[in-house]
Protein backbone atom coordinates (compact mmCIF):
# COMPACT_ATOMS: atom_id res chain seq x y z
CA UNK A 1 0.00 0.00 0.00
CA UNK A 2 2.91 2.34 0.69
CA UNK A 3 4.01 1.79 -2.91
CA UNK A 4 0.48 2.48 -4.22
CA UNK A 5 0.23 5.71 -2.23
CA UNK A 6 3.83 6.90 -2.45
CA UNK A 7 2.98 9.47 -5.13
CA UNK A 8 -0.12 10.71 -3.27
CA UNK A 9 -0.31 14.48 -2.95
CA UNK A 10 -2.45 14.25 0.18
CA UNK A 11 -1.82 12.98 3.70
CA UNK A 12 -2.53 9.34 4.52
CA UNK A 13 -1.61 7.13 7.43
CA UNK A 14 -1.36 3.42 8.16
CA UNK A 15 -3.87 2.78 10.96
CA UNK A 16 -5.05 -0.11 13.12
CA UNK A 17 -2.72 -2.65 14.66
CA UNK A 18 -0.02 -1.94 12.09
CA UNK A 19 0.10 1.69 13.28
CA UNK A 20 0.80 0.45 16.79
CA UNK A 21 3.53 -1.85 15.47
CA UNK A 22 5.13 0.95 13.47
CA UNK A 23 5.10 3.03 16.65
CA UNK A 24 6.78 0.40 18.81
CA UNK A 25 9.10 -0.84 16.07
CA UNK A 26 8.22 -4.54 15.98
CA UNK A 27 5.45 -7.00 15.17
CA UNK A 28 2.96 -7.88 17.90
CA UNK A 29 0.43 -10.20 16.30
CA UNK A 30 -1.07 -11.39 13.01
CA UNK A 31 -3.43 -9.10 11.08
CA UNK A 32 -6.39 -9.84 8.82
CA UNK A 33 -6.03 -6.71 6.70
CA UNK A 34 -4.33 -3.35 6.48
CA UNK A 35 -6.12 -0.19 7.63
CA UNK A 36 -5.36 3.12 5.92
CA UNK A 37 -6.78 6.46 7.04
CA UNK A 38 -7.35 9.40 4.70
CA UNK A 39 -9.29 12.59 5.21
CA UNK A 40 -12.73 12.64 3.63
CA UNK A 41 -11.76 15.74 1.67
CA UNK A 42 -9.06 13.67 -0.09
CA UNK A 43 -11.24 10.68 -0.99
CA UNK A 44 -11.35 11.44 -4.75
CA UNK A 45 -7.55 11.51 -4.93
CA UNK A 46 -7.34 8.32 -2.87
CA UNK A 47 -9.76 6.66 -5.29
CA UNK A 48 -7.54 7.76 -8.20
CA UNK A 49 -4.51 6.16 -6.53
CA UNK A 50 -6.48 2.92 -6.26
CA UNK A 51 -7.65 2.97 -9.89
CA UNK A 52 -7.98 -0.61 -11.11
CA UNK A 53 -8.67 -1.98 -7.63
CA UNK A 54 -12.03 -3.46 -6.64
CA UNK A 55 -13.48 -0.93 -4.17
CA UNK A 56 -16.65 -1.35 -2.11
CA UNK A 57 -18.14 0.92 0.52
CA UNK A 58 -19.80 -0.38 3.69
CA UNK A 59 -23.34 0.92 3.17
CA UNK A 60 -25.00 1.27 5.55
CA UNK A 61 -22.09 1.24 8.03
CA UNK A 62 -21.89 -1.60 10.50
CA UNK A 63 -24.32 -3.93 8.71
CA UNK A 64 -21.83 -6.06 6.80
CA UNK A 65 -23.31 -4.91 3.50
CA UNK A 66 -20.98 -3.72 0.75
CA UNK A 67 -21.71 -1.98 -2.53
CA UNK A 68 -19.39 -0.87 -5.31
CA UNK A 69 -17.81 2.54 -4.83
CA UNK A 70 -18.51 4.27 -8.11
CA UNK A 71 -15.71 6.08 -9.90
CA UNK A 72 -15.94 9.75 -8.94
CA UNK A 73 -18.59 9.10 -6.27
CA UNK A 74 -18.05 11.32 -3.24
CA UNK A 75 -19.06 9.55 -0.06
CA UNK A 76 -20.89 11.60 2.54
CA UNK A 77 -21.27 10.90 6.26
CA UNK A 78 -21.98 8.44 7.74
CA UNK A 79 -20.20 6.39 5.04
CA UNK A 80 -16.54 6.01 5.99
CA UNK A 81 -15.27 2.47 5.31
CA UNK A 82 -14.11 1.30 1.90
CA UNK A 83 -13.04 -2.30 1.45
CA UNK A 84 -10.34 -2.76 -1.16
CA UNK A 85 -8.85 -5.69 -3.05
CA UNK A 86 -6.68 -5.81 -6.14
CA UNK A 87 -9.22 -7.83 -8.15
CA UNK A 88 -12.76 -9.12 -7.60
CA UNK A 89 -11.31 -12.62 -7.13
CA UNK A 90 -8.74 -11.55 -4.52
CA UNK A 91 -9.44 -11.46 -0.79
CA UNK A 92 -10.18 -8.11 0.82
CA UNK A 93 -6.81 -6.76 1.91
CA UNK A 94 -7.18 -3.06 2.72
CA UNK A 95 -9.75 -1.10 4.65
CA UNK A 96 -9.64 2.55 3.60
CA UNK A 97 -11.18 4.72 6.30
CA UNK A 98 -12.38 8.28 5.78
CA UNK A 99 -12.11 10.76 8.62
CA UNK A 100 -13.22 14.34 8.98
CA UNK A 101 -11.26 17.58 8.99
CA UNK A 102 -12.01 21.24 9.52
CA UNK A 103 -9.28 23.51 8.24
CA UNK A 104 -6.04 22.28 9.75
CA UNK A 105 -7.73 20.08 12.37
CA UNK A 106 -8.60 16.41 12.27
CA UNK A 107 -12.08 15.91 13.74
CA UNK A 108 -13.17 12.52 15.05
CA UNK A 109 -16.07 11.13 13.06
CA UNK A 110 -17.28 9.54 16.31
CA UNK A 111 -17.45 12.78 18.27
CA UNK A 112 -16.60 16.20 16.80
CA UNK A 113 -15.45 17.43 20.21
CA UNK A 114 -12.39 15.20 19.83
CA UNK A 115 -9.84 17.00 17.65
CA UNK A 116 -6.15 17.25 16.92
CA UNK A 117 -4.11 19.38 14.53
CA UNK A 118 -3.57 17.37 11.34
CA UNK A 119 0.14 18.09 11.68
CA UNK A 120 0.09 15.99 14.90
CA UNK A 121 -2.13 13.19 13.57
CA UNK A 122 0.67 11.02 12.29
CA UNK A 123 4.30 10.09 12.42
CA UNK A 124 6.69 8.60 9.92
CA UNK A 125 8.37 5.26 10.56
CA UNK A 126 12.08 4.71 9.92
CA UNK A 127 11.13 3.08 6.60
CA UNK A 128 9.34 6.27 5.52
CA UNK A 129 5.78 4.96 5.98
CA UNK A 130 3.34 7.42 7.62
CA UNK A 131 1.23 6.02 10.44
CA UNK A 132 -1.46 7.23 12.78
CA UNK A 133 -0.11 8.49 16.08
CA UNK A 134 -0.66 5.88 18.81
CA UNK A 135 -2.91 7.96 21.05
CA UNK A 136 -5.38 8.49 18.20
CA UNK A 137 -5.22 4.82 17.25
CA UNK A 138 -5.88 3.84 20.86
CA UNK A 139 -8.82 6.26 20.92
CA UNK A 140 -10.34 4.30 18.02
CA UNK A 141 -9.57 0.97 19.65
CA UNK A 142 -11.25 2.06 22.90
CA UNK A 143 -14.75 2.02 21.37
CA UNK A 144 -15.17 -1.75 21.55
CA UNK A 145 -12.03 -3.04 23.19
CA UNK A 146 -11.08 -6.57 22.16
CA UNK A 147 -8.22 -8.74 23.36
CA UNK A 148 -5.99 -7.58 20.48
CA UNK A 149 -6.68 -3.95 21.46
CA UNK A 150 -5.56 -4.70 25.02
CA UNK A 151 -2.36 -6.23 23.60
CA UNK A 152 -1.80 -3.09 21.52
CA UNK A 153 -2.48 -0.80 24.50
CA UNK A 154 -0.06 -2.68 26.76
CA UNK A 155 2.64 -2.60 24.09
CA UNK A 156 2.47 1.11 23.31
CA UNK A 157 1.40 2.56 26.69
CA UNK A 158 4.94 2.73 28.13
CA UNK A 159 6.08 4.71 25.07
CA UNK A 160 3.40 7.39 25.25
CA UNK A 161 4.71 10.82 26.22
CA UNK A 162 2.88 12.84 28.85
CA UNK A 163 1.07 14.96 26.22
CA UNK A 164 -0.06 11.84 24.33
CA UNK A 165 -1.45 10.31 27.51
CA UNK A 166 -3.17 13.58 28.40
CA UNK A 167 -4.78 13.83 24.94
CA UNK A 168 -6.03 10.23 25.07
CA UNK A 169 -7.34 10.69 28.61
CA UNK A 170 -9.23 13.84 27.57
CA UNK A 171 -10.65 12.07 24.50
CA UNK A 172 -11.83 9.15 26.65
CA UNK A 173 -13.22 11.52 29.28
CA UNK A 174 -15.31 13.02 26.47
CA UNK A 175 -16.47 9.80 24.78
CA UNK A 176 -16.02 6.90 27.21
CA UNK A 177 -15.74 8.18 30.80
CA UNK A 178 -16.01 4.65 32.23
CA UNK A 179 -13.28 3.13 30.03
CA UNK A 180 -10.75 1.12 32.10
CA UNK A 181 -7.73 2.63 30.28
CA UNK A 182 -8.52 5.97 31.90
CA UNK A 183 -7.12 4.83 35.24
CA UNK A 184 -3.78 3.96 33.67
CA UNK A 185 -3.63 7.27 31.80
CA UNK A 186 -4.27 9.53 34.80
CA UNK A 187 -1.20 11.37 36.01
CA UNK A 188 0.37 10.11 39.22
CA UNK A 189 0.31 12.80 41.89
Amino acid sequence: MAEVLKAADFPWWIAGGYAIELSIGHELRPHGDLDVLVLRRDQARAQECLAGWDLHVADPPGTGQLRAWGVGELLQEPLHDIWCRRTPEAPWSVQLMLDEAEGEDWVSRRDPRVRLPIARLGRVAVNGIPYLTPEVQLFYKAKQTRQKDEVDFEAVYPLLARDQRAWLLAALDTTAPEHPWRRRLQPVS
Side-chain angles (χ1 to χ4, degrees), residues 122-138:
R123 296 182 173 176
V124 178
V126 293
N127 60 6
I129 296 175
Y131 65 93
L132 196 58
T133 191
E135 65 270 27
V136 174
Q137 186 56 63
L138 289 173

Side-chain angles (χ1 to χ4, degrees), residues 9-30:
D9 62 350
F10 58 89
W12 61 273
W13 304 270
I14 297 297
Y18 281 117
I20 298 296
E21 290 177 355
L22 287 168
S23 182
I24 64 173
H26 62 85
E27 187 176 329
L28 284 174
R29 56 183 175 75

Side-chain angles (χ1 to χ4, degrees), residues 72-144:
E73 176 187 5
L74 293 180
L75 302 175
Q76 301 300 319
E77 290 185 70
L79 304 178
H80 62 270
D81 281 328
I82 299 111
W83 289 86
C84 313
R85 56 187 175 187
R86 290 195 179 269
T87 68
E89 297 78 30
W92 299 110
S93 58
V94 175
Q95 182 181 2
L96 183 67
M97 299 173 295
L98 304 179
D99 242 350
E100 309 309 319
E102 288 180 10
E104 297 302 312
D105 287 339
W106 162 82
V107 179
S108 168
R109 70 175 178 271
R110 293 187 179 157
D111 190 318
R113 297 174 295 173
V114 178
R115 298 168 175 258
L116 191 68
I118 293 169
R120 289 186 43 211
L121 189 58
R123 296 182 173 176
V124 178
V126 293
N127 60 6
I129 296 175
Y131 65 93
L132 196 58
T133 191
E135 65 270 27
V136 174
Q137 186 56 63
L138 289 173
F139 167 72
Y140 278 115
K141 289 177 164 288
K143 182 179 179 184
Q144 294 175 326

Side-chain angles (χ1 to χ4, degrees), residues 169-189:
L169 179 60
L172 293 177
D173 283 347
T174 300
T175 61
E178 302 301 318
H179 198 285
W181 290 349
R182 288 183 60 262
R183 255 180 302 133
R184 297 275 307 275
L185 293 165
Q186 291 175 349
V188 177
S189 51

Side-chain angles (χ1 to χ4, degrees), residues 32-46:
D33 67 355
L34 175 67
D35 298 331
V36 177
L37 180 74
V38 299
L39 300 175
R40 183 176 301 279
R41 65 188 180 197
D42 298 320
Q43 65 179 292
R45 293 185 289 173

